[in-house]
Amino acid sequence: MEIPYTVKPRPDTGLYNAKLGIWLFLASEVMLFGALFSSYVLLRVGAVPGTWSMGLMDIMVGAGNTMVLIASSMFIVLAWAQLKQGNLAGYKKWKWATIACAVLFLVVKWSYEWPTKFKHYDIWLSSTVELHKKLEQGYHLVAEKHARESHQEGEDAGSHGGLAKHYVEEEIFTKRFFKEPSGDSHKAFDVAWEQGTLALSGHINSYEEAQINVRISGWKADAGVSEVDAEKTLARFGAGDPAKLRKQGGLLLEKTDYDTAKRVEYALGQAGFTLALGVAGYTEKTKEEEGAAWVWRTKRVAEDIGGQPRVRSIIVSLDHSHHQKIKVETKHIKRLSAFEPKHSTFFGIYYTITGLHAAHVFGGIIVMLYNMLPIGLSMWHKDRERFTNRIETFGLFWHFVDLVWIFLFPILYIL
Amino acid sequence: MGDSHDSPDFLQYLIRLFYMVGGVLVAGTLITVLIDVLFAFPLPVAALIGLLIALVKAGFVVAVFMHYKWDKKLIMITWTMVLTFIFFAGMMGLIMWAEGDHPQVRENILYRDELSAFWIVAAALFGLALPVSFTVLTIKQLSQPAPVEAAAPSAKRAAKKTKR
Amino acid sequence: MSDKAEVTQVQVQEAVGVHHDEHEEHPQHGFWRTYIFSTDHKMIGMQYGFCGLAFLFFGFCLIAMMRWSMAYDGEPIPFVGPILEALLGSGVAPGGVMQPELYNVFGAMHGTIMVFMGIVPAAFAAFGNYVVPLQIGAVDMAFPRVNMASFWAFFFGCVVMTVSFFIPGGAAQAGWTSYSPLATVIPTDGQTYWLIGMVLLITSSLLGAVNFLATIINMRAPGMTWLRLPFFVWAQFITAFLLLLAFPPLEAAGILQLMDRVLETSFFLPTGLVVGGQDVDVSGGGSPLLWQHLFWFLAHPEVYVLILPGMGIVAEIIANNTRKPIWGYKFLVGSVVVLGFIAFIVWAHHMYMTGMGTVISAFFQTTTLLISIPSVIILTCLLISLWGGSIRFNTPMLFALAFLPMFGIGGLTGLPLGFNFSDVALHDSYYVIAHFHYVVAPGTIFAIFAGVYYWFPKMTGRKMSEFWGKVHFWLSLIFMNLIFMPMFAQGMAGMSRRMSDGGATYSLANPDNADVTVGAFSDTIMGMNVSISAAAWAMLVAQVPFIINLFRSVKYGEKIESDNPWQATTLEWETPTPPPHGNFIKEIKVYRDPYEYSVPGAKKDFSPQAQPAK
Ligand code: HEM
Ligand SMILES: [Cu+2]
């Protein structure tokens, strides 16, 4: 059995099967990305004024990546042209160039664009008074300096509060949500200021984490663990007198860190013990060396340990404040999020669309690599025209991926 | 791509064209960035400019890189694409429209702008016009005289021995 | 393969002088490649058919249990109650009593299974795969391996959905429409499984749709012009377009909802969302209405995906059994094309009650009413086709005939729903349930039955039992109507859908004020719950003859005497029975329109498409 029109186009439709198939597939892709673009527009149009972030993207990186994709798109079609001329070596040259571009594109995204965002936090507070206080603390120095430099007479110059508020509106709020000041931006800022929906925006420098006392309060014999084994487990965690501790309870670990406490709690729980965790005090820790991105979540920070939060406060260095550090107490935090998908609908759609696009790029790379391997190339030696068609078909897909990015770039980076 | 376009000369011409289009696309990107850096247009204008440039770029990619320009027989696909785009744009427009027509809370009262009957009638007429025009198209297409016998040559059939 | 057919095949090969090398043409792939990982369109079609029918049955069993809860709320389900408890835990079925959560799970999964795992595979994928390449004279689909991938994506989607019943908390509970925010805030994992399953099912349908379109466009036999395509192929062609263009937005929506659930974004969660008295820790700023738009943008075309293959099957069978050409073939084709187009611009008629605005309602109301015109044209053409025919009342024909009035009822009752003023009263009531079930259950499912009885001889070389077929038909017809007809009355009386006690609580008098009754239903209306349920169980029993007949006939059915037992004109009957890999053993060329029955002057009362004109 041989399927017709796998190589030569059918005369009346002018297409060979694969080309027809890929165009149809692209039609469905148009609908897929179309729906996402529509969602983007709808969410953006429906957003409360002053909540849709703009200008957080690095345009230069975006433009660079756009050109990388454009180049790769050009390379793949050149690779195909080489095949048309029967030049396999030329094909390989251009194909490797295409792959290199595609990989570069992903590397920029993966190791630079996204990770930097995961380290930048917005913190919303539950109290407006507290918010104003923190902004004042964080910004009064730069605000004064700014006012001096620009010889600006604020409405109520002299009062620090006025200056900081002015600075936040001009340098932070308006730039981020409106780009240019206008009546709308002013109104939106007033609302956000009054209702306390502004966020403290910056990097987390350090935080005060609980030191935990782990206390054994009892042991159940019916948990299926023998006394000996249970005591062995205790000993493993440094109990001096496991037998006594098992029978009478008492302090097992003093002022240990959170991770250890949790590990012990789990392991001993398995061995039939009931434990009580309590906060003995707080120490300041720097998160820097761990370098972990997006670890901070509202729930995690506020996790209840014997009646007190896991983290008492976090020390934030605010954006555009010349590294002025402020201390935000957990009890005032309403929500905290890095620039990750859950941050806002803007970041949500940003990561979804670019992520889906990146997935297409990734899939493309796999297919391209396959077509460079002996197993892929064997078709060239069997049936040149068919292999050429295959590269043409793949090229159509690849151009489409480029096309999506051509629209993504202005929409996500510029607007 | 049609066979008539397989001549070496034409390929050379194509390759030159590919380089040129590559240049145009890069230029388009640079222009976009430049405009953004140099001017501060209000959002709608910026959106219009950005999307227009993107559309031009997309046109080049489709026409030349995807050599749509020379695939004259893609009428079927063209229609699919055009219709697809219309659906997409229409859907976007409609749901935005719907969203804009939401009741809103103003001074603690659920409030909805009263729309003039004009718009309602217009929407209904639009709803009438779309299907009707498509129907007319279909009828036209169907009432064309039947094409002459069997354009396609006979395919290789199951019973034929394969070459191997 | 029947002995008879084998002989035919060999004889023909000898006759046309073809050396047929078994090992090259039909390699002995062994069990796995032949039956499981097959790339042959016929085997894939049967795989789809088998899975589809199995899931239709499974989905039906779910509703049969739910009907108990509606009729006898709080009582243990007889026979299956203990099994439920054992399988799903006493949390959801203590002592065999169905809890509301379980009712929700079953309800959501009933819809999902029936639509995406039952009808789409059975009506579109199974018959499409088996019959379309045969009817256009192709050797296989355009992309056999993509075809296999499509089936396996479907299969894994089904596995995910099925597995989700047994995870803690059970399967999805938010209805087949999975409206946000409800679907997002439900804490159990079932909803996430549902989304993952849907993404797989959608991928499968997209691959399938591309394949069908490429096949129909590029693989037609010589002479098979567009207006010589059998109507079934046209129906499948439009269906594939609907799938191709409508499914991606749902895939996008599914991805967004998955993000909402897994990465805690808020695409569909509005600002200030409060659940169980607590603020939800999300950014807000999303739009619940966006989900509905994206969902219905798929799901309205989807309902045409459900019905068009059915119409196609019915048209084939009616033409064959009236022994005369379909009346108004061009009208049919035109209507189905127009229907396909309009199907894309009516979706928001499911959303009148969301308060999305008058202007947009006006638009969708107009298009919705217009879409009934092509539907009515199709129905009318098929009805007129009966006129003056010498009808053979065999089992497939009975089902095909019953399709017409049943679909008619379903379609006509759609009109009041299409006007937004009357929909205000009817929305989300049992009236809507009755409406769409009339279209899909006695409509599409009858068409599927008709198709199974009709093409069974081609697949196996044997006929299914006529007697048991007729028993199956009459019982099904009666019970179908006993189930769905009373629902119109219930709906118009104001009974809401999705209530696990069948509206009993809702119907109670207000305890605080004896004079005020809340949505009180008369005993007649409430009593219908019991009669409907009884009819549903009877319907379940009525399927037993079919199931036995289906399996028994594979081995013991009456052997067919020729490759064309129904004396049909279309190309699938030109193949040996069952068709080998590669389908045709002679050169196929098409000379005629699809339904040349009783051509004046012809020797026989049917002139096959492949028979040269004199
Ligand atoms: C012929 C003209 C038809 C019209 C005017 C029509 C109209 C409607 C309308 C307005 C609704 C929404 C009711 C509501 O939720 O308030 C609806 C629901 C529905 N229709 Fe139709 N319909 C038609 C045909 C069909 C067909 C052919 C099918 C399927 C094969 C179908 C399947 C459905 C389904 C599944 C629903 C309910 C969806 C849900 O809410 O779960 N309809 N119809
Ligand atoms: Cu609908």
Side-chain angles (χ1 to χ4, degrees):
Chain A
M1 181 191 87
E2 197 170 280
I3 293 177
Y5 313 119
T6 45
V7 182
K8 290 281 177 213
R10 178 181 166 119
D12 59 343
T13 59
L15 296 162
Y16 54 88
N17 292 345
K19 193 186 223 172
L20 176 58
I22 201 81
W23 273 102
L24 290 167
F25 173 70
L26 292 186
S28 87
E29 292 278 274
V30 169
M31 289 307 280
L32 177 68
F33 281 99
L36 287 171
F37 279 116
S38 309
S39 306
Y40 167 90
V41 174
L42 183 80
L43 289 171
R44 178 162 190 170
V45 170
V48 175
T51 56
W52 192 272
S53 306
M54 295 152 83
L56 289 182
M57 302 291 154
D58 191 334
I59 293 180
M60 290 309 156
V61 177
N65 249 351
T66 310
M67 292 195 229
V68 168
L69 266 198
I70 288 174
S72 83
S73 201
M74 191 174 87
F75 293 161
I76 190 87
V77 78
L78 288 172
W80 168 76
Q82 293 299 326
L83 280 185
K84 270 276 189 203
Q85 295 169 320
N87 179 357
L88 190 65
Y91 156 77
K92 283 188 179 164
K93 187 181 77 186
W94 288 119
K95 198 63 181 289
W96 281 123
T98 316
I99 296 177
C101 283
V103 171
L104 179 64
F105 178 86
L106 284 190
V107 167
V108 169
K109 265 203 169 332
W110 204 257
S111 60
Y112 176 74
E113 270 206 295
W114 289 354
T116 46
K117 297 203 173 66
F118 294 156
K119 289 185 190 144
H120 190 285
Y121 283 85
D122 269 357
I123 302 167
W124 290 268
L125 301 188
S126 46
S127 133
T128 313
V129 180
E130 204 60 35
L131 173 76
H132 294 172
K133 222 158 72 191
K134 295 292 170 207
L135 286 173
E136 165 71 23
Q137 262 176 33
Y139 286 112
H140 76 273
L141 283 180
V142 280
E144 271 171 28
K145 190 156 158 260
H146 181 76
R148 267 203 308 281
E149 275 168 12
S150 56
H151 303 290
Q152 233 177 19
E153 295 296 310
E155 306 151 40
D156 40 3
S159 125
H160 291 324
L163 273 187
K165 178 179 173 188
H166 204 69
Y167 183 81
V168 171
E169 173 174 358
E170 242 174 38
E171 291 301 308
I172 296 173
F173 183 83
T174 308
K175 279 199 174 147
R176 173 151 165 201
F177 295 114
F178 291 87
K179 282 194 167 175
E180 299 297 320
S182 66
D184 284 347
S185 75
H186 191 67
K187 221 162 71 191
F189 178 76
D190 277 350
V191 172
W193 180 267
E194 290 309 324
Q195 299 186 345
T197 51
L198 281 175
L200 300 172
S201 197
H203 290 85
I204 293 183
N205 264 37
S206 55
Y207 57 100
E208 290 181 296
E209 193 175 38
Q211 293 178 302
I212 301 172
N213 284 348
V214 180
R215 199 174 283 281
I216 307 285
S217 50
W219 183 72
K220 287 196 301 279
D222 55 4
V225 180
S226 72
E227 291 176 12
V228 184
D229 283 344
E231 281 165 20
K232 262 193 204 148
T233 319
L234 272 184
R236 197 148 59 89
F237 291 110
D241 186 353
K244 185 172 159 230
L245 209 52
R246 181 179 63 75
K247 284 183 210 129
Q248 301 174 1
L251 192 64
L252 173 67
L253 294 173
E254 203 180 346
K255 291 204 167 182
T256 183
D257 63 37
Y258 174 84
D259 288 342
T260 319
K262 280 287 159 181
R263 226 173 16 246
V264 173
E265 186 183 27
Y266 176 77
L268 292 186
Q270 293 287 305
F273 290 96
T274 42
L275 290 89
L277 303 189
V279 176
Y282 286 92
T283 50
E284 187 167 334
K285 283 190 174 175
T286 322
K287 201 70 199 173
E288 216 77 303
E289 60 264 28
E290 288 177 37
W294 65 341
V295 287
W296 294 108
R297 291 287 168 78
T298 324
K299 277 182 209 135
R300 251 193 237 194
V301 170
E303 186 181 335
D304 179 88
I305 295 170
Q308 277 174 293
R310 169 181 171 187
V311 171
R312 185 164 65 187
S313 66
I314 45 187
I315 290 101
V316 189
S317 87
L318 293 174
D319 293 345
H320 306 288
S321 70
H322 295 301
H323 307 291
Q324 180 71 42
K325 295 194 181 71
I326 56 166
K327 188 171 181 178
V328 185
E329 287 180 17
T330 302
K331 61 174 187 267
H332 295 308
I333 295 181
K334 184 162 144 216
R335 206 171 103 82
L336 156 123
S337 170
F339 285 176
E340 54 179 300
K342 66 176 281 195
H343 175 277
S344 55
T345 38
F346 167 72
F347 276 109
I349 198 88
Y350 163 78
Y351 284 109
T352 311
I353 302 193
T354 55
L356 208 61
H357 178 263
H360 279 71
V361 174
F362 185 75
I365 292 177
I366 305 268
V367 175
M368 283 195 276
L369 285 178
Y370 174 83
N371 281 333
M372 296 300 285
L373 293 177
I375 178 172
L377 284 174
S378 67
M379 177 174 283
W380 170 259
H381 303 299
K382 269 200 304 243
D383 188 345
R384 292 193 164 196
E385 201 173 351
R386 191 160 178 195
F387 186 73
T388 312
N389 283 349
R390 175 172 281 190
I391 299 305
E392 181 184 14
T393 316
F394 173 78
L396 290 174
F397 168 77
W398 194 248
H399 299 311
F400 176 79
V401 174
D402 180 30
L403 224 108
V404 170
W405 187 261
I406 284 180
F407 284 98
L408 278 183
F409 170 61
I411 287 179
L412 292 177
Y413 287 78
I414 308 251
L415 295 179
Chain B
M1 189 157 270
D3 289 325
S4 58
H5 292 303
D6 279 354
S7 73
D9 282 352
F10 183 71
L11 266 176
Q12 289 309 321
Y13 162 71
L14 262 187
I15 292 178
R16 259 177 288 135
L17 209 59
F18 292 155
Y19 282 117
M20 262 157 63
V21 169
V24 169
L25 294 178
V26 170
T29 313
L30 289 180
I31 292 174
T32 317
V33 175
L34 271 183
I35 291 181
D36 181 65
V37 175
L38 294 183
F39 305 100
F41 290 116
L43 188 62
V45 181
L48 201 70
I49 297 176
L51 288 181
L52 268 183
I53 296 180
L55 263 179
V56 172
K57 285 160 78 180
F60 274 106
V61 171
V62 174
V64 179
F65 280 178
M66 300 170 93
H67 30 262
Y68 187 77
K69 187 164 176 302
W70 298 277
D71 272 329
K72 285 291 179 226
K73 293 214 172 137
L74 285 176
I75 297 171
M76 179 93 196
I77 307 287
T78 314
W79 271 106
T80 313
M81 285 301 194
V82 169
L83 284 181
T84 313
F85 187 77
I86 292 175
F87 291 149
F88 154 49
M91 172 161 137
M92 209 158 91
L94 281 169
I95 57 185
M96 272 163 58
W97 199 359
E99 198 72 359
D101 197 15
H102 262 176
Q104 268 157 11
V105 181
R106 277 184 223 156
E107 277 128 31
N108 288 329
I109 301 173
L110 198 61
Y111 185 91
R112 165 174 245 149
D113 288 318
E114 205 161 301
L115 277 165
S116 79
F118 172 79
W119 286 111
I120 300 175
V121 175
L125 286 180
F126 183 50
L128 192 71
L130 274 182
V132 167
S133 47
F134 187 84
T135 312
V136 171
L137 258 177
T138 312
I139 293 176
K140 267 205 183 135
Q141 201 66 33
L142 278 177
S143 49
Q144 273 171 8
V148 229
E149 192 64 8
S154 63
K156 292 198 179 93
R157 287 288 129 213
K160 277 201 187 154
K161 237 192 97 181
T162 45
K163 268 178 247 144
R164 263 181 297 139
Chain C
M1 193 183 281
S2 73
D3 306 346
K4 163 86 183 164
E6 244 162 45
V7 171
T8 327
Q9 187 177 338
V10 174
Q11 279 168 348
V12 172
Q13 276 159 12
E14 278 166 4
V16 292
V18 178
H19 169 70
H20 185 75
D21 186 345
E22 264 297 317
H23 292 282
E24 197 184 289
E25 282 290 324
H26 202 302
Q28 248 84 60
H29 278 318
F31 176 79
W32 288 95
R33 287 287 302 278
T34 316
Y35 295 104
I36 311 295
F37 298 106
S38 171
T39 54
D40 185 280
H41 72 100
K42 298 178 292 297
M43 183 48 67
I44 294 177
M46 289 198 269
Q47 288 172 331
Y48 266 122
F50 186 78
C51 292
L53 288 177
F55 276 113
L56 282 178
F57 188 72
F58 179 45
F60 192 30
C61 291
L62 291 181
I63 204 72
M65 291 183 255
M66 290 162 67
R67 285 303 322 183
W68 179 269
S69 169
M70 297 184 71
Y72 306 104
D73 183 37
E75 290 174 39
I77 311 178
F79 312 121
V80 287
I83 306 178
L84 273 189
E85 188 178 5
L87 279 180
L88 303 175
S90 49
V92 289
V97 178
M98 180 182 282
Q99 298 301 295
E101 297 80 46
L102 189 61
Y103 181 91
N104 287 346
V105 167
F106 280 12
M109 293 311 283
H110 164 75
T112 309
I113 288 173
M114 287 302 201
V115 171
F116 298 107
M117 294 149 69
I119 304 228
V120 172
F124 172 70
F127 288 117
N129 257 307
Y130 198 97
V131 177
V132 166
L134 294 177
Q135 281 196 335
I136 63 173
V139 292
D140 202 320
M141 298 287 267
F143 313 111
R145 270 179 297 171
V146 173
N147 205 11
M148 181 175 85
S150 158
F151 174 76
W152 285 101
F154 162 77
F155 188 82
F156 283 114
C158 293
V159 169
V160 172
M161 292 285 191
T162 313
V163 164
S164 74
F165 277 97
F166 301 103
I167 61 170
Q173 299 190 24
W176 80 285
T177 52
S178 197
Y179 277 5
S180 268
L182 177 63
T184 318
V185 301
I186 286 180
T188 57
D189 287 335
Q191 216 63 40
T192 310
Y193 275 64
W194 188 87
L195 287 168
I196 294 171
M198 281 306 288
V199 169
L200 284 167
L201 293 176
I202 293 171
T203 308
S204 153
S205 288
L206 286 179
L207 293 178
V210 168
N211 213 342
F212 276 101
L213 291 171
T215 307
I216 296 175
I217 295 174
N218 239 22
M219 308 264 291
R220 280 167 291 125
M224 183 56 98
T225 55
W226 286 99
L227 288 181
R228 280 180 181 167
L229 288 177
F231 183 64
F232 177 69
V233 177
W234 266 107
Q236 291 282 343
F237 184 67
I238 300 300
T239 310
F241 255 112
L242 293 179
L243 285 177
L244 183 78
L245 300 182
F247 251 138
L250 185 67
E251 188 145 27
I255 292 170
L256 295 183
Q257 204 176 62
L258 204 59
M259 295 281 287
D260 273 5
R261 287 189 60 86
V262 179
L263 294 183
E264 303 176 42
T265 54
S266 33
F267 291 117
F268 305 126
L269 303 180
T271 310
L273 183 66
V274 175
V275 174
Q278 290 218 300
D279 283 344
V280 187
D281 177 30
V282 293
S283 72
S287 160
L289 214 57
L290 175 60
W291 167 265
Q292 298 196 18
H293 277 300
L294 293 174
F295 181 84
W296 287 115
F297 186 83
L298 155 89
H300 186 82
E302 176 76 17
V303 305
Y304 283 92
V305 169
L306 302 180
I307 195 69
L308 290 184
M311 288 176 171
I313 296 172
V314 166
E316 293 299 305
I317 293 173
I318 286 186
N320 177 258
N321 287 308
T322 52
R323 314 305 296 163
K324 65 199 257 307
I326 287 275
W327 190 88
Y329 171 79
K330 271 196 179 182
F331 279 117
L332 282 178
V333 172
S335 301
V336 81
V337 173
V338 171
L339 201 68
F341 174 80
I342 310 182
F344 279 104
I345 47 173
V346 298
W347 77 88
H349 64 212
H350 297 271
M351 298 164 58
Y352 290 143
M353 290 289 280
T354 57
M356 61 182 174
T358 25
V359 175
I360 195 155
S361 293
F363 174 85
F364 282 106
Q365 169 172 306
T366 320
T367 50
T368 301
L369 295 176
L370 286 179
I371 202 173
S372 53
I373 297 176
S375 318
V376 169
I377 293 181
I378 293 179
L379 200 61
T380 314
C381 287
L382 293 177
L383 274 175
I384 297 179
S385 299
L386 301 175
W387 189 269
S390 48
I391 300 177
R392 301 191 301 209
F393 288 101
N394 45 31
T395 314
M397 185 59 172
L398 286 177
F399 276 108
L401 285 176
F403 173 93
L404 301 178
M406 297 294 114
F407 173 72
I409 295 177
L412 289 179
T413 52
L415 294 180
L417 298 174
F419 288 105
N420 61 59
F421 55 83
S422 41
D423 186 56
V424 168
L426 296 173
H427 177 69
D428 249 0
S429 74
Y430 260 84
Y431 183 91
V432 176
I433 304 273
H435 152 67
F436 69 75
H437 279 93
Y438 257 102
V439 201
V440 203
T444 306
I445 293 186
F446 273 17
I448 291 176
F449 284 142
V452 170
Y453 284 105
Y454 182 66
W455 279 301
F456 189 84
K458 184 87 271 173
M459 301 181 189
T460 60
R462 288 165 194 272
K463 276 190 182 179
M464 289 172 71
S465 154
E466 274 291 313
F467 174 75
W468 288 109
K470 284 184 176 142
V471 170
H472 174 216
F473 168 74
W474 285 110
L475 291 180
S476 297
L477 183 68
I478 292 168
F479 291 127
M480 275 289 186
N481 284 285
L482 286 180
I483 296 173
F484 294 118
M485 196 56 89
M487 289 188 187
F488 284 120
Q490 287 191 322
M492 285 187 281
M495 186 183 284
S496 263
R497 57 198 284 199
R498 295 183 174 146
M499 290 192 297
S500 64
D501 59 0
T505 316
Y506 181 63
S507 181
L508 286 181
N510 185 341
D512 295 334
N513 182 349
D515 295 335
V516 182
T517 52
V518 187
F521 298 125
S522 68
D523 287 348
T524 325
I525 294 293
M526 285 304 288
M528 284 175 182
N529 274 341
V530 179
S531 75
I532 291 174
S533 296
W537 303 320
M539 178 80 192
L540 194 60
V541 176
Q543 301 315 304
V544 174
F546 171 70
I547 297 170
I548 296 178
N549 194 353
L550 184 69
F551 285 107
R552 226 189 93 89
S553 301
V554 176
K555 259 200 122 140
Y556 304 107
E558 176 200 342
K559 271 192 195 165
I560 53 171
E561 295 302 316
S562 84
D563 286 337
N564 189 356
W566 308 112
Q567 288 100 38
T569 54
T570 41
L571 290 184
E572 76 266 36
W573 306 102
E574 299 291 327
T575 62
T577 310
H581 200 52
N583 298 342
F584 297 93
I585 51 171
K586 57 186 181 202
E587 196 78 21
I588 284 289
K589 199 159 170 2
V590 175
Y591 301 92
R592 297 163 180 278
D593 287 347
Y595 306 113
E596 301 222 337
Y597 289 102
S598 309
V599 180
K603 280 203 209 76
K604 287 178 290 183
D605 77 337
F606 68 108
S607 318
Q609 282 191 285
Q611 172 186 316
K614 262 177 283 167

